């Protein structure tokens, strides 16, 4: 590689990495915990449920309950299951009946408990698992700023990965096995950055690509919409398969008896190992009522197999059918594979744990990259004023990033002690505590102290999490295991292991004799 190309790759890699470092750390740290979103939700609510994506609901009874409260006639409604929990999401559109009261023309979104049909608003159903999941794509920042910011960070991360590989290409194998902890500080950080970066390279590449796709795909397709579809984005989404067929409202009451439970069972009987994940009802109670029953094959049967059947209720006929085994288009496969590999929901706990570890490794790669940048800019030929500024930048960076660990552990305790913790109170507890702890470490002006005591405090709070759960609910982790409440058991034991590892790491840190001003 010529010196010119090397310098281009080096500076592109460095600049793109430094610009996105803090946000990228937040994304990967919160994203690592998001792999356990379902377990966190059930742990927080002190519930346990069957580990299946399938909607387990008495549809007929549930809809009768909802009809008494909302009057469903003429409405479109969607029943889906975004998480493995005891609640399903219900999306209600306003009725198409023009003579209906204004209240019935309003849409609504809420969650429904599948056992007792209790209704929860989005705010009432908000949980720590949802918070961490949404934090990993910065959804707390007003839309669409947070979405686009996380998307462009993922895109810059992709540049950093590619340029990093090009920089180390000739020595990519040999450098992977090199680690010299007794050498000077820059060598230590460089070895750790290179080795761990290569170890997590496939993981990082996948999440850079899929993260950018999910968050900024609207900007990507905008030129396509304007040039090929004359600005009609609905037509594009229809061809991409993001919309459902539409049927006119006849404004005539349906006189035929129907059972959604039977239609769901009929759909399941078409294919073995098929789980129902979504039910879409159009024109409820109208003569032109249609029901779409959608699901997917189990992972071991087919990695991506989406199937659906559309029923016309007046005569019970199937008007459309998609076979999950033979009728998946190339476009369907691409979309579904991107979702699958991003969420890591196809390999059970083993894949989730491995993904979490790789996510935390990526966090360390980000930190080591920043430390390499700092050490390289502390040379004697650099003016003292610039060196002090560089140290302050890294001090703020470390304070923001490393504080996430103890604050996350603290909020786990708060979510259990003050359950149900509202969305606003969850925001206040997490962000205000994070801000105060960050300011404390910035004022302390000691990077080694920051590193050590974020790990120590996070470990201490981590050990308190299963204790808090046991004291407040009586479900100690051994009892949860014996009662087959695996989600609750997993979170308690997960924190015991994580706290033990980080505590060991904290006491393995050696003080840095360098100045801390």
């Amino acid at each position: 590689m010529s010196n010119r190309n090397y310098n281009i790759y080096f500076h592109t890699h460095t600049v793109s990495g430094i610009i996105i470092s803090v946000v990228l750390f937040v994304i990967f740290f919160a994203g690592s915990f998001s792999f356990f979103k379902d377990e966190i939700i059930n742990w927080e609510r002190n519930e346990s449920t069957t580990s299946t994506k399938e909607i387990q609901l008495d549809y007929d009874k549930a809809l009768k309950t909802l009809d008494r409260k909302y009057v469903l006639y003429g409405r479109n409604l969607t029943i889906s299951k975004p998480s493995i929990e005891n609640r399903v999401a219900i999306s209600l559109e306003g009725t198409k009946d023009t003579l209906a009261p204004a209240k019935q023309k309003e849409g609504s979104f809420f969650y429904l408990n599948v056992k007792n049909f209790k209704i929860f608003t989005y705010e009432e159903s908000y949980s720590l698992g949802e918070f961490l999941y949404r934090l990993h794509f910065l959804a707390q920042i007003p839309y669409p700023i947070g979405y686009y910011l996380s998307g462009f960070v993922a895109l810059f991360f992709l540049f950093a990965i590619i340029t990093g590989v090009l920089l180390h290409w000739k020595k990519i194998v040999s450098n992977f096995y090199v680690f010299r902890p007794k050498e000077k500080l820059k060598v230590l950080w460089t070895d750790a950055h290179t080795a761990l970066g290569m170890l997590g390279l496939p993981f990082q590449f996948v999440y850079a690509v899929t993260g950018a796709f999910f968050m900024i795909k609207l900007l990507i397709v905008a030129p396509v919409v304007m040039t090929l579809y004359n600005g009609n984005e609905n037509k594009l989404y229809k061809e991409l398969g993001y919309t459902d067929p539409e049927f006119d409202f006849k404004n005539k009451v349906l006189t035929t008896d129907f059972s959604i439970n039977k239609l769901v069972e009929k759909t399941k009987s078409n294919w073995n190992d098929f789980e129902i994940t979504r039910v879409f009802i159009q024109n409820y109670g109208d003569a032109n009522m249609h029901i779409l029953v959608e699901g997917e094959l189990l992972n071991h049967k087919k990695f991506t197999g989406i199937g659906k059947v559309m029923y016309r209720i007046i005569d019970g006929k199937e008007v459309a059918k998609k076979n999950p085994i033979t009728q998946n288009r190339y476009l369907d496969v691409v979309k579904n594979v991107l979702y699958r590999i991003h969420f890591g929901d196809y390999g059970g706990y083993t894949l989730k744990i491995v993904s979490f570890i790789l996510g935390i490794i990526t966090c360390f790669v980000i930190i080591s990259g920043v430390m390499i940048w700092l050490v390289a800019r502390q040379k004697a030929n650099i003016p003292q004023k610039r060196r002090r500024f560089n140290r302050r930048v890294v001090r703020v960076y470390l304070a923001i990033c490393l504080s996430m660990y103890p604050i996350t552990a603290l909020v786990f305790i708060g979510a259990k002690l003050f359950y149900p913790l509202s969305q606003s109170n969850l925001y206040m507890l997490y962000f205000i505590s994070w801000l105060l702890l960050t300011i404390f470490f910035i004022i302390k002006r000691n990077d080694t102290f920051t590193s050590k005591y974020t790990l120590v405090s996070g470990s201490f709070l981590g050990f308190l999490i299963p204790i808090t759960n046991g004291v407040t609910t009586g479900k100690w982790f051994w009892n949860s295991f014996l009662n087959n409440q695996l989600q609750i058991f997993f979170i308690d034991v997960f924190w015991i292991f994580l706290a033990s590892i980080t505590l060991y790491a904290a006491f393995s840190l050696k003080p840095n004799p360098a100045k801390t001003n």
Side-chain angles (χ1 to χ4, degrees):
M1 182 186 298
S2 66
N3 288 335
R4 181 176 181 276
N5 288 341
Y6 181 87
N7 289 332
I8 291 173
Y9 296 147
F10 178 81
H11 290 297
T12 304
H13 180 76
T14 304
V15 171
S16 59
I18 291 298
I19 289 175
I20 65 175
S21 56
V22 173
V23 178
L24 191 63
F25 185 96
V26 172
I27 289 173
F28 269 96
F29 188 86
S32 297
F33 280 89
S34 297
F35 287 114
F36 308 121
K37 174 189 174 184
D38 300 335
E39 287 76 17
I40 294 171
I41 290 173
N42 287 288
W43 176 87
E44 183 180 353
R45 295 174 182 166
N46 198 32
E47 298 176 348
S48 189
T49 186
T50 306
S51 295
T52 176
K53 299 177 185 177
E54 183 167 41
I55 300 173
Q56 298 177 319
L57 175 69
D58 186 335
Y59 296 91
D60 296 336
K61 189 174 181 180
L63 289 172
K64 287 180 181 178
T65 303
L66 295 177
D67 194 24
R68 288 193 292 268
K69 181 176 177 62
Y70 293 98
V71 185
L72 300 181
Y73 178 72
R75 293 180 185 262
N76 293 350
L77 65 148
T78 303
I79 303 173
S80 60
K81 188 179 180 181
S83 302
I84 298 177
E85 54 180 310
N86 288 327
R87 299 177 189 179
V88 293
I90 308 289
S91 178
L92 280 181
E93 297 181 19
T95 182
K96 299 174 184 177
D97 183 1
T98 56
L99 300 179
K103 186 68 175 177
Q104 295 178 26
K105 295 179 182 179
E106 298 176 358
S108 182
F109 178 84
F110 52 88
Y111 289 89
L112 181 73
N113 188 294
V114 298
K115 295 182 178 179
N116 56 23
F117 304 130
K118 185 177 179 181
I119 293 172
F120 301 87
T121 64
Y122 177 78
E123 290 75 17
E124 291 171 338
S125 196
Y126 200 82
S127 64
L128 177 56
E130 180 75 6
F131 171 82
L132 291 172
Y133 166 71
R134 299 186 70 80
L135 179 61
H136 101 277
F137 53 90
L138 311 180
Q140 285 81 4
I141 300 175
Y143 179 83
I145 299 173
Y147 283 45
Y148 290 161
L149 177 60
S150 62
F152 280 109
V153 165
L155 194 60
F156 274 98
F157 184 46
L158 184 60
F159 293 153
I161 292 171
I162 294 172
T163 52
V165 171
L166 292 173
L167 281 172
H168 298 287
W169 183 253
K170 288 187 177 181
K171 297 182 179 179
I172 201 167
V173 176
S174 59
N175 286 357
F176 178 76
Y177 295 100
V178 175
F179 186 66
R180 296 160 287 185
K182 294 184 180 180
E183 294 289 337
K184 57 185 179 180
L185 196 58
K186 183 183 178 182
V187 174
L188 187 153
W189 282 119
T190 302
D191 289 347
H193 184 77
T194 304
L196 291 176
M198 292 309 305
L199 184 66
L201 179 62
F203 173 87
Q204 294 157 14
F205 181 82
V206 164
Y207 280 87
V209 172
T210 56
F213 169 77
F214 291 140
M215 293 296 104
I216 58 177
K217 61 185 176 185
L218 292 179
L219 295 180
I220 295 173
V221 302
V224 178
V225 174
M226 297 305 297
T227 56
L228 300 182
Y229 293 89
N230 297 320
N232 188 349
E233 63 179 26
N234 292 329
K235 185 178 179 181
L236 172 64
Y237 291 145
K238 184 176 181 180
E239 291 192 12
L240 292 176
Y242 284 109
T243 59
D244 297 303
E246 296 182 4
F247 298 94
D248 294 332
F249 177 66
K250 300 297 185 182
N251 201 15
K252 183 179 179 181
V253 176
L254 177 69
T255 57
T256 306
D257 291 331
F258 64 92
S259 171
I260 297 180
N261 289 341
K262 291 181 180 179
L263 294 178
V264 167
E265 289 302 317
K266 182 180 179 182
T267 304
K268 281 178 61 67
S269 66
N270 286 316
W271 307 285
N272 294 327
D273 300 319
F274 188 74
E275 295 184 327
I276 304 302
T277 57
R278 178 173 174 261
V279 174
F280 176 53
I281 303 172
Q282 287 198 55
N283 307 321
Y284 187 92
D286 184 68
N288 201 27
M289 178 179 176
H290 286 72
I291 295 180
L292 176 68
V293 182
E294 182 178 330
E296 59 187 58
L297 295 171
L298 293 177
N299 299 324
H300 71 268
K301 188 73 175 289
K302 192 173 184 181
F303 186 71
T304 171
I306 304 297
K308 57 183 74 174
V309 181
M310 176 71 76
Y311 297 96
R312 185 169 56 217
I313 299 304
I314 196 168
D315 55 13
K317 289 185 178 180
E318 297 179 2
V319 296
K321 186 175 184 179
K322 180 180 180 181
N323 191 310
I325 301 174
T326 61
Q327 290 182 284
N328 274 278
R329 300 179 301 165
Y330 173 78
L331 183 61
D332 296 326
V333 173
V334 171
K335 289 190 302 180
N336 296 332
V337 167
L338 287 175
Y339 278 98
R340 279 286 172 87
I341 62 177
H342 187 87
F343 290 104
D345 60 352
Y346 53 89
Y349 281 114
T350 301
L351 180 61
K352 288 184 178 183
I353 293 170
V354 170
S355 299
F356 175 84
I357 294 171
L358 290 173
I360 298 301
I361 286 176
T362 303
C363 291
F364 185 82
V365 170
I366 298 167
I367 290 177
S368 60
V370 173
M371 297 309 296
I372 293 170
W373 177 86
L374 174 64
V375 174
R377 284 155 181 77
Q378 295 301 297
K379 297 177 182 178
N381 62 334
I382 296 178
Q384 184 68 23
K385 185 176 181 180
R386 274 188 67 185
R387 279 186 277 167
R388 284 199 300 267
F389 174 78
N390 293 338
R391 284 197 293 268
R392 291 192 192 103
V393 170
V394 173
R395 184 182 307 129
V396 172
Y397 164 81
L398 290 178
I400 294 172
C401 295
L402 298 183
S403 295
M404 284 192 75
Y405 178 48
I407 294 304
T408 300
L410 174 67
V411 176
F412 266 82
I413 295 173
K416 182 60 69 170
L417 287 176
F418 304 107
Y419 178 80
L421 197 61
S422 67
Q423 182 179 1
S424 58
N425 287 335
L426 186 57
Y427 278 22
M428 289 179 61
L429 178 59
Y430 198 100
F431 291 122
I432 292 179
S433 301
W434 190 7
L435 175 63
L436 293 176
L437 191 59
T438 297
I439 292 173
F440 169 74
F441 285 126
I442 292 173
I443 295 174
K444 186 66 179 177
R445 300 172 62 186
N446 188 316
D447 296 342
T448 303
F449 178 88
T450 299
S451 302
K452 183 172 184 177
Y453 285 96
T454 50
L455 292 174
V456 170
S457 59
S459 301
F460 175 73
L461 292 169
F463 284 124
L464 287 180
I465 290 172
I467 296 175
T468 303
N469 184 40
V471 171
T472 55
T473 67
K475 292 186 178 180
W476 299 92
F477 64 87
W478 54 84
N479 292 329
S480 300
F481 179 77
L482 293 175
N483 293 328
N484 201 33
Q485 297 173 315
L486 295 182
Q487 287 114 341
I488 299 174
F489 167 78
F490 177 83
I491 293 299
D492 284 343
V493 173
F494 164 79
W495 271 106
I496 293 174
F497 274 98
L498 182 60
S500 301
I501 293 170
T502 52
L503 188 63
Y504 173 79
F507 287 104
S508 299
L509 291 176
K510 295 181 181 180
N512 182 5
K515 294 180 180 180
T516 59
N517 59 323

